[in-house]
Amino acid sequence: MSDLSITQPGKFVVGCNYWASHAGTRMWSDWRPEVVQADFKQLAGAGLQVLRVFPLWPDFQPINLLRVGQGDPYEVRFGEAPLPDDPTGQAGVSAEMLSRFRFLADCAHQNGLRLVVGLITGWMSGRLFVPPALEGLNVLTDPFARKWQVRLVRTFVHAFKDHPGVLAWDLGNECNVMGHVPSRADAWSWTAAITTAIRAVDSSRPIVSGMHSLTPDVNDAWTMQDQGELTDLLTTHPYPYWTPHCDQDPVNTIRSILHSTSESRFYADIGGKPCIAEELGTLGPILASDAVAADYIRSCLFSLWANDCHGLLWWCAFDQHELVDAPYDWNACERELGLVRVDRSVKPVLGELGQFAGWVANLPVKTLPPQIKEAVCILSPEQDTWGAAFSAYVLAKQAGFDLEFQFSDQPIREAGLYLLPSVKGQTSITRRRWLELLDKVKRGASLYVSHEDGLLSPFTEPFGLE
């Protein structure tokens, strides 16, 4: 059994995301156990603690849907073969793939590595992977697709719930990209179905969100509040290249370095659960040399750890520029992002990760005391929420104080200083929360407001302006 240390205050894990060095996403169909052994030995020897791994969905649940007249569905099979009568077969899960994953998990345990397992790996590196029976369906909202996802999750978790190599269950890689969901309720319903299936079989391990690009806006489908309600650990994938406001400076300068920390605190503070920078990288030498990437990751590690984020996992373990399959043939950003080159020579970033993990492990104090936060930054609908949050976080650090985030519909937290930045539109804060905030000001707190064509009421009395 695993403990829940990855979610406890002050805990910090260091590792990377893993696909086998010889095959990337084809590792399960082009199975080479000796390569997995060599990969894990090298990564563990460098000092890594955690690997995030991905049982590719169509490999582990290779179901086909046979149809009759008018195209009506009739039976799910493995190719032409009926599903076996045992529970694994009836779930449409490949016993052979489970055996391969068990070898991988055993290998991890033997090398002192722990696994975060992405259960529904249907989206990876710019390509959608689904079983043949589910092709063409919206796998997030279609009830037939959801039924088979629940069966896969229950079967997989049952097979490995007692394995000492498994640290946590991840819903999957960026599952909010697998299909369009029309409403917040649909996103909540999918997440609830998967988390319930996991907890019904294994309640001992934390459930990791695995999502990226969440917002606090209640009008959006995928919110950090809902993921915080249903999972135990929130996740950011803070690549400066793809994140608004974060691709304007060299990666080893202050705004880029604080990106992963500020986004992770943004998720944790509003979502109400701890957060890990689950994917982080520089996407290859065109954006950062090996030396610059090492400077960047060293600073990110210290910043995340010091601000009660729960870890950093680099993307990805091995370079993949010799692979010819999609998505590697499609996407240049997927080819030279490893910690280890094709010839197994090591990049400086891997050394930084291992050294930091060892440094934290050898500290006389095992956890940091609670962080002192002098201010609350209140974010609101209609504004560029992330832009306001990121700017406020960096400016606060430069001014010498720390802040926490909340959304304007949440109860106003206690603080001596409140920041309400870039107020915009008619619905930035409800009447009851505005009066609640003004009451705290009357009792001695300070309030800073910046204005971006927003309406606040009452206005004249607190500000003394017309």
Side-chain angles (χ1 to χ4, degrees):
M1 290 291 182
S2 162
D3 60 34
L4 301 181
S5 62
I6 194 173
T7 60
Q8 292 174 356
K11 299 298 183 180
F12 194 88
V13 299
V14 176
C16 69
N17 293 264
Y18 174 77
W19 286 105
S21 58
H22 74 287
T25 58
R26 292 187 65 250
M27 65 174 285
W28 302 107
S29 56
D30 183 10
W31 177 243
R32 301 185 192 179
E34 72 281 3
V35 173
V36 173
Q37 283 183 316
D39 290 349
F40 280 20
K41 182 178 180 180
Q42 184 170 21
L43 296 172
L48 298 192
Q49 302 163 324
V50 173
L51 302 182
R52 182 174 174 233
V53 295
F54 307 97
L56 195 68
W57 190 4
D59 288 339
F60 279 76
Q61 196 175 45
I63 52 176
N64 291 276
L65 178 61
L66 278 58
R67 298 176 181 273
V68 292
Q70 288 77 50
D72 292 337
Y74 188 77
E75 184 184 5
V76 170
R77 292 191 171 202
F78 287 151
E80 291 297 321
L83 298 182
D85 291 327
D86 60 277
T88 298
Q90 288 296 295
V93 176
S94 167
E96 181 181 6
M97 292 298 164
L98 291 181
S99 176
R100 292 178 181 181
F101 192 91
R102 185 167 295 280
F103 177 92
L104 180 142
D106 290 345
C107 190
H109 181 57
Q110 291 161 9
N111 284 279
L113 295 165
R114 305 296 297 280
L115 302 178
V116 174
V117 184
L119 291 167
I120 305 293
T121 302
W123 169 257
M124 181 55 58
S125 301
R127 179 178 172 182
L128 188 64
F129 294 89
V130 299
L134 308 181
E135 289 179 356
L137 301 178
N138 185 333
V139 295
L140 295 176
T141 59
D142 184 87
F144 179 75
R146 187 175 296 181
K147 176 179 75 172
W148 287 99
Q149 288 172 77
V150 168
R151 287 176 171 175
L152 168 63
V153 168
R154 286 191 317 213
T155 302
F156 194 100
V157 173
H158 183 269
F160 297 101
K161 64 185 178 67
D162 297 320
H163 200 289
V166 177
L167 175 64
W169 302 115
D170 187 311
L171 299 182
N173 184 58
E174 299 176 355
C175 290
N176 46 335
V177 183
M178 293 197 305
H180 172 70
V181 294
S183 72
R184 184 180 178 187
D186 288 301
W188 189 96
S189 180
W190 180 88
T191 306
I194 303 304
T195 55
T196 299
I198 297 169
R199 290 194 175 102
V201 181
D202 181 11
S203 61
S204 69
R205 290 180 176 83
I207 297 177
V208 180
S209 168
M211 304 294 175
H212 75 331
S213 299
L214 303 178
T215 80
D217 191 335
V218 296
N219 296 311
D220 290 339
W222 297 94
T223 70
M224 49 195 74
Q225 295 96 317
D226 289 347
Q227 290 293 304
E229 175 190 353
L230 296 168
T231 69
D232 302 305
L233 186 68
L234 298 173
T235 54
T236 56
H237 298 175
Y239 301 98
Y241 182 74
W242 285 305
T243 307
H245 313 294
C246 297
D247 61 345
Q248 302 175 44
D249 301 328
V251 298
N252 59 346
T253 55
I254 182 171
R255 293 207 306 167
S256 297
I257 289 166
L258 287 177
H259 170 197
S260 55
T261 302
S262 59
E263 190 173 351
S264 298
R265 291 311 323 163
F266 179 46
Y267 278 45
D269 290 344
I270 294 177
K273 292 291 175 63
C275 186
I276 183 174
E278 188 183 48
E279 292 183 18
L280 186 59
T282 55
L283 306 180
I286 196 169
L287 296 179
S289 69
D290 287 347
V292 168
D295 287 343
Y296 166 69
I297 207 63
R298 183 189 315 113
S299 297
C300 288
L301 284 162
F302 276 100
S303 178
L304 288 162
W305 170 74
N307 289 280
D308 195 28
C309 303
H310 285 237
L312 185 154
L313 306 182
W314 182 265
W315 187 277
C316 193
F318 293 90
D319 277 354
Q320 297 159 331
H321 61 82
E322 292 190 352
L323 303 181
V324 300
D325 307 286
Y328 310 106
D329 182 48
W330 297 344
N331 296 330
C333 63
E334 296 297 334
R335 299 174 193 152
E336 296 180 274
L337 35 62
L339 298 168
V340 181
R341 302 180 184 91
V342 172
D343 63 2
R344 288 205 179 271
S345 61
V346 172
K347 298 180 184 179
V349 168
L350 180 55
E352 295 293 342
L353 291 169
Q355 290 172 25
F356 185 83
W359 179 79
V360 170
N362 291 319
L363 285 174
V365 177
K366 295 306 179 184
T367 60
L368 293 176
Q371 188 178 13
I372 298 172
K373 298 179 181 179
E374 296 89 345
V376 170
C377 179
I378 303 172
L379 304 164
S380 58
E382 299 192 64
Q383 69 180 177
D384 177 353
T385 312
W386 163 242
F390 183 44
S391 299
Y393 194 89
V394 175
L395 289 169
K397 287 291 188 183
Q398 290 177 311
F401 66 89
D402 283 309
L403 56 77
E404 63 180 310
F405 297 108
Q406 72 160 88
F407 207 55
S408 60
D409 64 352
Q410 297 175 319
I412 305 299
R413 299 171 191 171
E414 291 296 329
L417 172 63
Y418 295 95
L419 309 175
L420 192 59
S422 304
V423 174
K424 184 176 182 179
Q426 306 172 54
T427 61
S428 59
I429 188 168
T430 63
R431 177 182 180 275
R432 68 182 186 278
R433 296 302 185 205
W434 180 234
L435 294 178
E436 188 179 339
L437 179 56
L438 293 180
D439 183 65
K440 294 184 184 298
V441 173
K442 289 177 181 178
R443 290 188 280 113
S446 298
L447 171 63
Y448 165 88
V449 178
S450 61
H451 186 267
E452 190 183 350
D453 195 24
L455 301 180
L456 295 170
S457 176
F459 176 80
T460 303
E461 179 184 356
F463 290 96
L465 295 173
E466 288 185 353

